Coordinates of all heavy atoms in Angstrom, one line a residue:
M1 N -129.9 53.2 -69.5 CA -129.9 52.7 -70.9 C -130.7 51.4 -70.9 O -130.7 50.7 -70.0 CB -128.5 52.5 -71.3 CG -128.3 51.7 -72.5 SD -126.5 51.4 -73.0 CE -125.8 53.0 -72.8
A2 N -131.4 51.2 -72.0 CA -132.1 50.0 -72.2 C -131.7 49.4 -73.6 O -131.4 50.2 -74.5 CB -133.6 50.2 -72.2
V3 N -131.7 48.1 -73.7 CA -131.4 47.4 -74.9 C -132.7 46.9 -75.4 O -133.3 46.0 -74.8 CB -130.3 46.3 -74.8 CG1 -130.1 45.6 -76.1 CG2 -129.0 46.9 -74.2
G4 N -133.2 47.5 -76.5 CA -134.4 47.0 -77.1 C -134.2 45.8 -77.9 O -133.1 45.2 -78.0
P5 N -135.3 45.2 -78.5 CA -135.1 44.0 -79.3 C -134.3 44.2 -80.5 O -134.3 45.3 -81.1 CB -136.6 43.7 -79.7 CG -137.3 44.9 -79.5 CD -136.6 45.8 -78.5
V6 N -133.5 43.2 -80.8 CA -132.7 43.3 -82.1 C -133.6 42.6 -83.1 O -133.9 41.4 -83.0 CB -131.4 42.6 -81.9 CG1 -130.6 42.5 -83.2 CG2 -130.5 43.3 -80.9
E7 N -134.0 43.3 -84.1 CA -134.9 42.8 -85.1 C -134.2 41.7 -85.9 O -133.1 41.8 -86.4 CB -135.3 43.9 -86.1 CG -136.4 43.5 -87.1 CD -136.8 44.6 -88.0 OE1 -136.3 45.7 -87.9 OE2 -137.6 44.3 -88.9
A8 N -134.9 40.5 -86.0 CA -134.3 39.4 -86.6 C -134.8 39.3 -88.1 O -135.9 38.9 -88.4 CB -134.7 38.1 -85.9
L9 N -133.9 39.8 -89.0 CA -134.2 39.7 -90.4 C -133.8 38.3 -90.9 O -132.8 37.8 -90.6 CB -133.4 40.8 -91.2 CG -133.6 42.2 -90.6 CD1 -132.7 43.2 -91.4 CD2 -135.1 42.6 -90.8
G10 N -134.7 37.7 -91.7 CA -134.4 36.4 -92.3 C -134.5 35.3 -91.3 O -133.9 34.3 -91.5
G11 N -135.3 35.5 -90.2 CA -135.5 34.4 -89.3 C -134.4 34.1 -88.3 O -134.3 33.0 -87.8
R12 N -133.5 35.0 -88.1 CA -132.4 34.8 -87.2 C -132.7 35.2 -85.7 O -132.0 35.8 -85.1 CB -131.1 35.5 -87.7 CG -130.6 35.1 -89.0 CD -129.4 35.9 -89.4 NE -128.6 35.3 -90.4 CZ -127.7 34.3 -90.2 NH1 -127.4 33.9 -89.0 NH2 -127.0 33.8 -91.3
T13 N -133.9 34.7 -85.3 CA -134.4 35.1 -84.0 C -133.5 34.7 -82.8 O -133.2 35.5 -81.9 CB -135.8 34.4 -83.8 OG1 -136.6 34.6 -84.9 CG2 -136.5 35.0 -82.6
E14 N -133.0 33.5 -82.8 CA -132.1 33.1 -81.7 C -130.8 33.8 -81.7 O -130.4 34.3 -80.6 CB -131.8 31.6 -81.9 CG -131.2 30.9 -80.6 CD -131.1 29.4 -80.8 OE1 -132.1 28.8 -81.0 OE2 -130.0 28.9 -80.6
E15 N -130.2 34.1 -82.8 CA -129.0 34.8 -82.9 C -129.2 36.3 -82.5 O -128.4 36.9 -81.8 CB -128.4 34.8 -84.3 CG -127.9 33.4 -84.7 CD -127.7 33.3 -86.2 OE1 -128.1 34.2 -87.0 OE2 -127.0 32.3 -86.6
A16 N -130.4 36.9 -82.9 CA -130.7 38.2 -82.5 C -130.8 38.3 -81.0 O -130.3 39.3 -80.3 CB -132.0 38.7 -83.2
E17 N -131.4 37.4 -80.3 CA -131.6 37.4 -78.9 C -130.2 37.2 -78.2 O -130.0 37.8 -77.1 CB -132.6 36.3 -78.4 CG -132.9 36.4 -77.0 CD -133.6 37.7 -76.6 OE1 -134.3 38.3 -77.4 OE2 -133.4 38.1 -75.4
T18 N -129.4 36.4 -78.8 CA -128.0 36.2 -78.2 C -127.2 37.6 -78.3 O -126.5 37.9 -77.3 CB -127.2 35.1 -79.0 OG1 -128.0 33.9 -78.9 CG2 -125.8 35.0 -78.5
V19 N -127.4 38.3 -79.4 CA -126.7 39.6 -79.5 C -127.3 40.6 -78.5 O -126.5 41.3 -77.8 CB -126.9 40.2 -80.9 CG1 -126.6 41.7 -81.0 CG2 -126.1 39.4 -81.9
R20 N -128.6 40.5 -78.3 CA -129.2 41.4 -77.2 C -128.6 41.1 -75.8 O -128.3 42.0 -75.1 CB -130.7 41.2 -77.3 CG -131.4 42.1 -76.3 CD -132.9 41.8 -76.4 NE -133.7 42.8 -75.7 CZ -135.0 42.7 -75.7 NH1 -135.7 41.8 -76.4 NH2 -135.7 43.6 -75.0
E21 N -128.5 39.9 -75.5 CA -128.0 39.5 -74.2 C -126.5 39.9 -74.0 O -126.1 40.4 -73.0 CB -128.2 38.0 -73.9 CG -129.6 37.5 -73.8 CD -130.2 38.1 -72.5 OE1 -129.6 38.3 -71.5 OE2 -131.5 38.4 -72.6
A22 N -125.8 39.7 -75.1 CA -124.4 40.1 -75.1 C -124.2 41.6 -74.9 O -123.4 42.1 -74.2 CB -123.7 39.7 -76.3
L23 N -125.1 42.4 -75.6 CA -125.1 43.9 -75.4 C -125.4 44.3 -74.0 O -124.6 45.1 -73.4 CB -126.1 44.5 -76.3 CG -125.8 44.7 -77.8 CD1 -127.0 45.0 -78.6 CD2 -124.7 45.8 -77.9
V24 N -126.4 43.7 -73.4 CA -126.7 44.0 -72.0 C -125.5 43.7 -71.1 O -125.1 44.5 -70.3 CB -127.9 43.2 -71.5 CG1 -128.1 43.3 -70.0 CG2 -129.2 43.6 -72.2
T25 N -124.9 42.6 -71.3 CA -123.7 42.2 -70.4 C -122.5 43.1 -70.6 O -122.0 43.6 -69.6 CB -123.3 40.7 -70.8 OG1 -124.4 39.8 -70.5 CG2 -122.1 40.3 -70.0
E26 N -122.2 43.4 -71.9 CA -121.0 44.3 -72.1 C -121.3 45.7 -71.8 O -120.4 46.4 -71.2 CB -120.6 44.1 -73.6 CG -120.1 42.8 -73.9 CD -118.9 42.3 -73.0 OE1 -118.0 43.1 -72.8 OE2 -119.0 41.1 -72.5
L27 N -122.4 46.3 -72.0 CA -122.7 47.6 -71.7 C -122.8 47.8 -70.2 O -122.4 48.9 -69.7 CB -124.0 48.1 -72.3 CG -124.0 48.3 -73.9 CD1 -125.4 48.4 -74.5 CD2 -123.1 49.4 -74.2
A28 N -123.3 46.8 -69.5 CA -123.3 46.9 -68.0 C -122.0 47.0 -67.4 O -121.8 47.5 -66.2 CB -124.1 45.7 -67.4
K29 N -120.9 46.5 -68.1 CA -119.6 46.6 -67.6 C -119.0 48.0 -67.6 O -118.0 48.3 -67.0 CB -118.7 45.6 -68.3 CG -119.0 44.2 -68.1 CD -118.1 43.3 -69.0 CE -118.4 41.8 -68.9 NZ -117.6 41.0 -69.8
L30 N -119.6 48.9 -68.4 CA -119.1 50.2 -68.5 C -119.3 51.0 -67.3 O -120.4 51.1 -66.7 CB -119.7 51.0 -69.7 CG -119.5 50.4 -71.1 CD1 -120.2 51.2 -72.2 CD2 -118.0 50.3 -71.4
E31 N -118.3 51.7 -66.8 CA -118.3 52.5 -65.6 C -119.3 53.6 -65.7 O -119.3 54.4 -66.7 CB -116.9 53.0 -65.2 CG -116.9 53.7 -63.9 CD -115.5 54.1 -63.6 OE1 -114.5 53.3 -63.8 OE2 -115.3 55.3 -63.1
G32 N -120.2 53.7 -64.8 CA -121.2 54.8 -64.8 C -122.4 54.6 -65.7 O -123.2 55.5 -65.8
V33 N -122.5 53.5 -66.3 CA -123.6 53.2 -67.2 C -124.6 52.2 -66.5 O -124.2 51.2 -66.0 CB -123.2 52.6 -68.5 CG1 -124.4 52.2 -69.4 CG2 -122.3 53.6 -69.3
H34 N -125.8 52.6 -66.4 CA -126.9 51.8 -65.8 C -127.7 51.2 -67.0 O -128.2 51.9 -67.8 CB -127.8 52.6 -64.9 CG -129.0 51.9 -64.5 ND1 -129.0 50.9 -63.5 CD2 -130.3 52.0 -64.9 CE1 -130.2 50.4 -63.4 NE2 -131.0 51.1 -64.2
V35 N -127.8 49.8 -67.0 CA -128.5 49.2 -68.0 C -129.7 48.5 -67.4 O -129.6 47.7 -66.4 CB -127.7 48.1 -68.7 CG1 -128.5 47.4 -69.8 CG2 -126.4 48.7 -69.3
V36 N -130.9 48.8 -67.9 CA -132.1 48.2 -67.3 C -132.1 46.7 -67.7 O -131.7 46.3 -68.8 CB -133.4 48.9 -68.0 CG1 -134.7 48.2 -67.6 CG2 -133.4 50.3 -67.6
S37 N -132.6 45.9 -66.7 CA -132.6 44.4 -67.0 C -133.5 44.0 -68.2 O -134.5 44.6 -68.4 CB -133.1 43.7 -65.7 OG -134.5 43.7 -65.7
P38 N -133.0 43.0 -68.9 CA -133.8 42.5 -70.0 C -135.2 42.1 -69.6 O -136.2 42.3 -70.4 CB -133.0 41.3 -70.5 CG -131.6 41.5 -70.0 CD -131.8 42.3 -68.7
T39 N -135.4 41.6 -68.4 CA -136.7 41.2 -67.9 C -137.7 42.4 -67.9 O -138.8 42.3 -68.3 CB -136.6 40.6 -66.5 OG1 -135.7 39.5 -66.5 CG2 -138.0 40.1 -66.0
T40 N -137.2 43.5 -67.4 CA -138.0 44.7 -67.4 C -138.4 45.2 -68.8 O -139.5 45.5 -69.1 CB -137.3 45.9 -66.6 OG1 -137.0 45.4 -65.3 CG2 -138.1 47.2 -66.6
V41 N -137.4 45.2 -69.7 CA -137.6 45.6 -71.0 C -138.6 44.7 -71.7 O -139.5 45.2 -72.4 CB -136.3 45.7 -71.8 CG1 -136.5 46.0 -73.3 CG2 -135.3 46.7 -71.2
K42 N -138.5 43.4 -71.5 CA -139.4 42.4 -72.1 C -140.8 42.6 -71.6 O -141.8 42.4 -72.3 CB -138.9 41.0 -71.9 CG -137.7 40.7 -72.8 CD -137.1 39.4 -72.5 CE -135.8 39.2 -73.3 NZ -135.2 37.9 -73.0
R43 N -141.0 43.0 -70.4 CA -142.3 43.2 -69.8 C -143.0 44.4 -70.6 O -144.2 44.2 -71.0 CB -142.2 43.6 -68.3 CG -143.5 43.6 -67.6 CD -143.4 43.8 -66.1 NE -142.2 43.3 -65.5 CZ -141.4 44.1 -64.7 NH1 -141.7 45.3 -64.4 NH2 -140.2 43.6 -64.3
Y44 N -142.3 45.4 -70.9 CA -142.8 46.5 -71.7 C -143.1 46.0 -73.2 O -144.1 46.4 -73.8 CB -141.9 47.7 -71.7 CG -142.0 48.5 -70.5 CD1 -141.1 48.3 -69.4 CD2 -142.9 49.5 -70.4 CE1 -141.2 49.1 -68.3 CE2 -143.0 50.3 -69.2 CZ -142.1 50.1 -68.2 OH -142.2 50.8 -67.0
E45 N -142.2 45.2 -73.7 CA -142.4 44.7 -75.0 C -143.7 43.8 -75.1 O -144.5 44.0 -76.1 CB -141.3 43.7 -75.4 CG -140.0 44.5 -75.8 CD -138.9 43.5 -76.0 OE1 -139.1 42.4 -76.5 OE2 -137.7 43.9 -75.8
R46 N -144.0 43.0 -74.1 CA -145.2 42.2 -74.1 C -146.4 43.0 -74.1 O -147.5 42.7 -74.6 CB -145.2 41.2 -72.9 CG -144.3 40.0 -73.2 CD -144.5 38.9 -72.1 NE -144.1 39.3 -70.8 CZ -142.9 39.3 -70.3 NH1 -141.9 38.9 -71.0 NH2 -142.7 39.7 -69.0
A47 N -146.3 44.2 -73.5 CA -147.4 45.1 -73.4 C -147.5 46.0 -74.7 O -148.3 46.9 -74.8 CB -147.3 46.0 -72.2
R48 N -146.6 45.7 -75.6 CA -146.5 46.5 -76.9 C -146.2 47.9 -76.7 O -146.7 48.8 -77.5 CB -147.8 46.2 -77.7 CG -148.0 44.8 -78.0 CD -148.7 44.6 -79.3 NE -149.0 43.2 -79.6 CZ -148.2 42.4 -80.3 NH1 -147.0 42.8 -80.7 NH2 -148.5 41.2 -80.5
V49 N -145.4 48.3 -75.7 CA -145.0 49.7 -75.5 C -143.8 49.9 -76.3 O -142.8 49.1 -76.2 CB -144.7 49.9 -74.0 CG1 -144.2 51.3 -73.7 CG2 -146.0 49.7 -73.1
P50 N -143.7 50.9 -77.1 CA -142.5 51.2 -77.9 C -141.3 51.4 -77.0 O -141.5 52.0 -75.9 CB -142.9 52.5 -78.7 CG -144.4 52.5 -78.7 CD -144.8 51.9 -77.4
V51 N -140.2 51.0 -77.5 CA -138.9 51.1 -76.7 C -138.7 52.6 -76.3 O -138.3 52.9 -75.1 CB -137.7 50.6 -77.4 CG1 -136.4 50.8 -76.7 CG2 -137.9 49.1 -77.6
S52 N -138.9 53.5 -77.2 CA -138.7 54.9 -76.9 C -139.6 55.4 -75.8 O -139.2 56.2 -74.9 CB -138.8 55.8 -78.1 OG -140.1 55.7 -78.7
W53 N -140.8 55.0 -75.8 CA -141.8 55.4 -74.8 C -141.4 54.8 -73.4 O -141.4 55.4 -72.4 CB -143.2 55.0 -75.2 CG -144.3 55.6 -74.3 CD1 -144.2 56.8 -73.6 CD2 -145.5 55.0 -74.0 NE1 -145.4 57.0 -72.9 CE2 -146.2 55.9 -73.1 CE3 -146.1 53.8 -74.4 CZ2 -147.5 55.6 -72.6 CZ3 -147.4 53.5 -73.9 CH2 -148.1 54.4 -73.0
M54 N -141.0 53.5 -73.4 CA -140.6 52.8 -72.2 C -139.4 53.5 -71.6 O -139.3 53.7 -70.4 CB -140.2 51.3 -72.6 CG -139.6 50.6 -71.4 SD -138.4 49.4 -71.8 CE -137.1 50.3 -72.6
A55 N -138.5 53.9 -72.5 CA -137.3 54.6 -72.0 C -137.7 55.9 -71.3 O -137.1 56.2 -70.2 CB -136.3 54.9 -73.1
R56 N -138.6 56.6 -71.8 CA -139.0 57.9 -71.2 C -139.7 57.6 -69.9 O -139.5 58.3 -68.9 CB -140.0 58.6 -72.1 CG -139.2 59.3 -73.3 CD -140.2 60.1 -74.2 NE -139.5 60.6 -75.3 CZ -139.7 60.2 -76.6 NH1 -140.7 59.4 -76.8 NH2 -139.1 60.7 -77.6
L57 N -140.6 56.6 -69.8 CA -141.2 56.2 -68.6 C -140.3 55.8 -67.5 O -140.5 56.1 -66.3 CB -142.2 55.0 -68.8 CG -143.4 55.3 -69.7 CD1 -144.2 54.0 -70.0 CD2 -144.4 56.3 -68.9
L58 N -139.2 55.2 -67.9 CA -138.1 54.8 -66.9 C -137.1 55.9 -66.7 O -136.2 55.6 -65.9 CB -137.5 53.5 -67.4 CG -138.4 52.3 -67.5 CD1 -137.6 51.1 -68.1 CD2 -138.9 51.9 -66.1
G59 N -137.2 57.0 -67.3 CA -136.3 58.1 -67.1 C -134.9 57.8 -67.7 O -133.9 58.3 -67.3
L60 N -134.9 57.1 -68.8 CA -133.6 56.8 -69.5 C -133.3 57.8 -70.6 O -134.2 58.4 -71.1 CB -133.7 55.4 -70.1 CG -134.0 54.3 -69.2 CD1 -134.2 53.0 -70.0 CD2 -133.0 54.1 -68.1
A61 N -132.1 58.0 -70.9 CA -131.7 59.0 -71.9 C -131.4 58.3 -73.3 O -131.6 58.9 -74.3 CB -130.4 59.7 -71.5
V62 N -130.9 57.0 -73.2 CA -130.6 56.4 -74.5 C -131.1 54.9 -74.5 O -131.3 54.3 -73.5 CB -129.0 56.4 -74.7 CG1 -128.5 57.7 -74.9 CG2 -128.3 55.7 -73.6
V63 N -131.2 54.4 -75.7 CA -131.6 53.0 -75.9 C -130.7 52.5 -77.1 O -130.2 53.2 -77.9 CB -133.1 52.8 -76.3 CG1 -134.0 53.2 -75.2 CG2 -133.4 53.6 -77.6
V64 N -130.6 51.2 -77.0 CA -129.9 50.5 -78.1 C -130.9 49.8 -79.0 O -131.9 49.2 -78.4 CB -128.9 49.5 -77.6 CG1 -128.2 48.7 -78.8 CG2 -127.8 50.1 -76.7
E65 N -130.8 50.0 -80.3 CA -131.7 49.3 -81.2 C -130.9 48.7 -82.3 O -129.8 49.1 -82.5 CB -132.8 50.3 -81.7 CG -132.2 51.5 -82.5 CD -133.3 52.4 -83.0 OE1 -134.3 52.6 -82.3 OE2 -133.1 53.0 -84.0
G66 N -131.5 47.8 -83.1 CA -130.7 47.3 -84.2 C -131.4 46.1 -84.9 O -132.6 45.8 -84.6
S67 N -130.7 45.5 -85.8 CA -131.2 44.4 -86.5 C -130.1 43.4 -86.8 O -128.9 43.7 -86.8 CB -131.8 44.8 -87.8 OG -130.8 45.4 -88.6
M68 N -130.5 42.1 -87.0 CA -129.6 41.0 -87.4 C -129.9 40.8 -88.8 O -131.0 40.3 -89.2 CB -129.9 39.8 -86.5 CG -129.1 38.6 -86.9 SD -127.4 38.7 -86.6 CE -127.3 38.5 -84.8
A69 N -128.9 41.1 -89.7 CA -129.1 40.9 -91.1 C -129.1 39.5 -91.5 O -128.7 38.6 -90.8 CB -128.0 41.6 -91.9
V70 N -129.6 39.2 -92.7 CA -129.7 37.8 -93.2 C -128.3 37.2 -93.2 O -128.2 36.0 -92.9 CB -130.3 37.8 -94.6 CG1 -130.3 36.4 -95.2 CG2 -131.7 38.4 -94.6
D71 N -127.3 38.0 -93.5 CA -125.9 37.4 -93.5 C -125.3 37.2 -92.1 O -124.2 36.8 -92.0 CB -125.0 38.3 -94.4 CG -124.7 39.7 -93.8 OD1 -125.2 40.0 -92.7 OD2 -124.0 40.4 -94.4
G72 N -126.1 37.5 -91.1 CA -125.6 37.4 -89.7 C -124.9 38.6 -89.1 O -124.5 38.5 -87.9
T73 N -124.9 39.7 -89.8 CA -124.3 40.9 -89.3 C -125.3 41.6 -88.4 O -126.4 41.9 -88.8 CB -123.8 41.8 -90.4 OG1 -123.0 41.1 -91.3 CG2 -123.2 43.1 -89.9
A74 N -124.8 42.0 -87.2 CA -125.7 42.7 -86.3 C -125.4 44.2 -86.5 O -124.2 44.7 -86.3 CB -125.4 42.4 -84.8
R75 N -126.3 45.0 -86.9 CA -126.2 46.4 -87.1 C -126.9 47.1 -86.0 O -128.1 47.0 -85.8 CB -126.8 46.8 -88.5 CG -126.0 46.2 -89.6 CD -126.4 46.7 -91.0 NE -125.5 46.2 -92.0 CZ -125.7 45.0 -92.6 NH1 -126.7 44.2 -92.3 NH2 -124.8 44.6 -93.5
L76 N -126.1 47.8 -85.1 CA -126.6 48.3 -83.9 C -126.5 49.8 -83.7 O -125.5 50.3 -84.3 CB -125.9 47.6 -82.7 CG -126.0 46.1 -82.8 CD1 -124.9 45.4 -81.9 CD2 -127.4 45.6 -82.5
R77 N -127.4 50.5 -83.0 CA -127.3 51.9 -82.9 C -127.7 52.3 -81.4 O -128.6 51.7 -80.8 CB -128.4 52.6 -83.8 CG -128.1 52.4 -85.2 CD -129.3 52.8 -86.1 NE -130.5 52.1 -85.9 CZ -130.8 50.8 -86.3 NH1 -129.9 50.1 -86.9 NH2 -131.9 50.2 -86.0
L78 N -127.0 53.3 -80.9 CA -127.2 53.9 -79.6 C -128.0 55.2 -80.0 O -127.5 56.0 -80.7 CB -125.9 54.2 -78.9 CG -126.0 54.7 -77.5 CD1 -126.6 53.6 -76.6 CD2 -124.6 55.1 -77.0
V79 N -129.2 55.3 -79.5 CA -130.1 56.4 -79.9 C -130.5 57.3 -78.6 O -130.9 56.7 -77.6 CB -131.4 55.9 -80.6 CG1 -132.3 57.0 -81.0 CG2 -131.0 55.0 -81.7
D80 N -130.5 58.6 -78.8 CA -130.9 59.5 -77.8 C -132.5 59.5 -77.8 O -133.1 59.7 -78.9 CB -130.4 60.9 -78.1 CG -130.9 62.0 -77.1 OD1 -132.1 62.1 -76.9 OD2 -130.0 62.7 -76.6
V81 N -133.1 59.1 -76.7 CA -134.6 59.0 -76.7 C -135.3 60.3 -76.9 O -136.4 60.3 -77.4 CB -135.1 58.4 -75.4 CG1 -136.1 57.3 -75.6 CG2 -134.0 57.9 -74.4
H82 N -134.7 61.4 -76.5 CA -135.4 62.6 -76.5 C -135.4 63.3 -77.9 O -136.3 63.9 -78.3 CB -134.8 63.6 -75.5 CG -134.8 63.0 -74.1 ND1 -136.0 62.8 -73.4 CD2 -133.9 62.5 -73.3 CE1 -135.7 62.2 -72.2 NE2 -134.4 62.1 -72.2
T83 N -134.3 63.0 -78.6 CA -134.2 63.7 -80.0 C -134.3 62.7 -81.1 O -134.5 63.1 -82.3 CB -132.8 64.4 -80.1 OG1 -131.8 63.4 -80.0 CG2 -132.6 65.4 -79.0
G84 N -134.1 61.4 -80.8 CA -134.1 60.4 -81.9 C -132.8 60.3 -82.7 O -132.6 59.6 -83.6
R85 N -131.8 61.1 -82.2 CA -130.5 61.2 -82.9 C -129.7 59.9 -82.6 O -129.6 59.5 -81.4 CB -129.7 62.4 -82.4 CG -128.4 62.7 -83.1 CD -127.8 63.9 -82.6 NE -127.3 63.9 -81.3 CZ -126.1 63.4 -80.9 NH1 -125.2 63.0 -81.9 NH2 -125.7 63.4 -79.7
V86 N -129.0 59.4 -83.6 CA -128.1 58.3 -83.4 C -126.8 58.8 -82.9 O -126.2 59.6 -83.5 CB -127.9 57.5 -84.7 CG1 -126.8 56.4 -84.5 CG2 -129.2 56.9 -85.3
I87 N -126.5 58.4 -81.7 CA -125.3 58.8 -81.0 C -124.1 58.0 -81.4 O -123.0 58.5 -81.5 CB -125.5 58.7 -79.4 CG1 -126.6 59.5 -79.0 CG2 -124.2 59.1 -78.7 CD1 -127.0 59.2 -77.5
A88 N -124.3 56.7 -81.6 CA -123.2 55.8 -82.0 C -123.8 54.7 -82.7 O -124.9 54.3 -82.6 CB -122.4 55.3 -80.7
A89 N -123.0 54.0 -83.6 CA -123.4 52.9 -84.3 C -122.3 51.9 -84.5 O -121.1 52.3 -84.5 CB -124.0 53.3 -85.7
G90 N -122.6 50.7 -84.8 CA -121.5 49.7 -85.0 C -122.1 48.4 -85.6 O -123.3 48.1 -85.4
E91 N -121.2 47.6 -86.2 CA -121.6 46.3 -86.6 C -121.0 45.3 -85.6 O -119.8 45.2 -85.5 CB -121.1 46.0 -88.0 CG -121.8 46.8 -89.1 CD -121.5 46.3 -90.5 OE1 -120.7 45.4 -90.7 OE2 -122.1 46.9 -91.4
G92 N -121.9 44.7 -84.8 CA -121.5 43.7 -83.8 C -121.4 44.4 -82.5 O -121.3 45.6 -82.3
V93 N -121.4 43.5 -81.4 CA -121.4 44.0 -80.0 C -120.2 44.8 -79.7 O -120.3 45.9 -79.2 CB -121.6 42.8 -79.1 CG1 -121.5 43.2 -77.6 CG2 -123.0 42.1 -79.3
G94 N -119.0 44.2 -80.0 CA -117.8 44.9 -79.7 C -117.6 46.3 -80.3 O -117.2 47.2 -79.6
E95 N -118.0 46.4 -81.5 CA -117.9 47.7 -82.2 C -118.9 48.7 -81.6 O -118.5 49.9 -81.4 CB -118.2 47.5 -83.7 CG -117.7 48.7 -84.5 CD -117.9 48.5 -86.0 OE1 -117.3 47.5 -86.5 OE2 -118.6 49.2 -86.7
L96 N -120.1 48.3 -81.3 CA -121.0 49.3 -80.6 C -120.6 49.6 -79.2 O -120.7 50.8 -78.9 CB -122.5 48.7 -80.6 CG -123.4 49.7 -80.0 CD1 -123.7 50.9 -80.9 CD2 -124.7 49.1 -79.5
V97 N -120.1 48.7 -78.4 CA -119.7 49.0 -77.1 C -118.5 50.0 -77.1 O -118.5 51.0 -76.4 CB -119.3 47.7 -76.3 CG1 -118.6 48.1 -75.0 CG2 -120.6 46.9 -76.1
A98 N -117.6 49.8 -78.0 CA -116.4 50.7 -78.2 C -116.9 52.1 -78.6 O -116.5 53.1 -78.0 CB -115.4 50.2 -79.2
A99 N -117.9 52.2 -79.5 CA -118.4 53.5 -79.9 C -119.2 54.1 -78.8 O -119.1 55.3 -78.6 CB -119.3 53.3 -81.2
A100 N -119.9 53.3 -78.0 CA -120.7 53.9 -76.9 C -119.8 54.4 -75.8 O -120.0 55.5 -75.3 CB -121.6 52.8 -76.3
R101 N -118.7 53.7 -75.6 CA -117.7 54.1 -74.6 C -117.1 55.5 -75.0 O -117.0 56.4 -74.2 CB -116.6 53.1 -74.5 CG -115.5 53.5 -73.5 CD -114.4 52.4 -73.4 NE -114.8 51.3 -72.7 CZ -114.9 50.0 -73.3 NH1 -114.5 49.8 -74.5 NH2 -115.3 49.0 -72.6
K102 N -116.8 55.6 -76.3 CA -116.3 56.9 -76.7 C -117.3 58.0 -76.7 O -117.1 59.1 -76.2 CB -115.8 56.7 -78.2 CG -115.1 57.9 -78.8 CD -114.6 57.6 -80.1 CE -113.9 58.8 -80.8 NZ -113.5 58.6 -82.1
S103 N -118.5 57.7 -77.2 CA -119.6 58.7 -77.3 C -120.1 59.2 -75.9 O -120.4 60.3 -75.7 CB -120.8 58.2 -78.1 OG -120.4 58.0 -79.4
L104 N -120.2 58.2 -75.0 CA -120.7 58.5 -73.6 C -119.5 59.0 -72.7 O -119.8 59.3 -71.5 CB -121.4 57.3 -73.0 CG -122.6 56.9 -73.8 CD1 -123.2 55.6 -73.2 CD2 -123.7 57.9 -73.9
K105 N -118.3 58.9 -73.2 CA -117.1 59.3 -72.4 C -117.0 58.5 -71.1 O -116.9 59.1 -70.0 CB -117.1 60.8 -72.2 CG -117.0 61.5 -73.5 CD -117.0 63.0 -73.2 CE -116.8 63.8 -74.5 NZ -117.9 63.8 -75.5
V106 N -117.1 57.2 -71.2 CA -117.0 56.3 -70.0 C -115.9 55.3 -70.2 O -115.4 55.1 -71.3 CB -118.3 55.5 -69.7 CG1 -119.4 56.5 -69.4 CG2 -118.7 54.7 -70.9
Q107 N -115.5 54.7 -69.1 CA -114.4 53.7 -69.1 C -115.0 52.3 -69.4 O -115.9 51.8 -68.9 CB -113.7 53.7 -67.8 CG -113.0 55.0 -67.5 CD -111.8 55.1 -68.5 OE1 -111.1 54.2 -68.9 NE2 -111.5 56.4 -68.8

């Protein structure tokens, strides 16, 4: 799994990056879930490689994408890279991690 950039709507860049780091930390705690390091993901971003393509190159099945709304709400989605289907969604890190745990059937 890779956590892509959280789009900062309304200039909330720092908050969006904080959400991204929290997602990596919390998702990595799930048993049986491998999360690619943010450094690796950012390397692909700097090369302007789309997250879905990067995930395929790394052999990943799912990515996390989302945005930080102007009101500060993080709207996040767990997406199947092969089909583009949203597997789980939530507002905030805790809600997405809980939904991911349920959808991926992990502890």
Side-chain angles (χ1 to χ4, degrees):
M1 169 183 311
V3 178
V6 175
E7 186 180 359
L9 306 175
R12 294 180 165 275
T13 311
E14 192 172 306
E15 292 166 345
E17 190 59 31
T18 300
V19 166
R20 182 181 190 176
E21 291 295 326
L23 278 166
V24 170
T25 301
E26 294 305 313
L27 289 168
K29 292 178 184 177
L30 298 178
E31 188 177 315
V33 173
H34 169 75
V35 181
V36 175
S37 79
T39 305
T40 300
V41 174
K42 287 176 185 178
R43 192 172 331 129
Y44 282 93
E45 284 174 31
R46 283 192 297 275
R48 301 208 183 273
V49 174
V51 174
S52 59
W53 190 32
M54 176 213 57
R56 289 185 186 112
L57 290 171
L58 295 173
L60 304 175
V62 294
V63 295
V64 176
E65 60 181 36
S67 61
M68 174 70 72
V70 175
D71 68 0
T73 304
R75 293 185 175 89
L76 307 163
R77 297 167 300 283
L78 186 64
V79 179
D80 181 307
V81 225
H82 305 290
T83 65
R85 184 176 71 88
V86 174
I87 299 168
E91 288 191 0
V93 174
E95 196 173 303
L96 180 72
V97 171
R101 180 180 287 119
K102 183 178 178 182
S103 297
L104 300 173
K105 297 177 177 67
V106 295
Q107 295 290 329

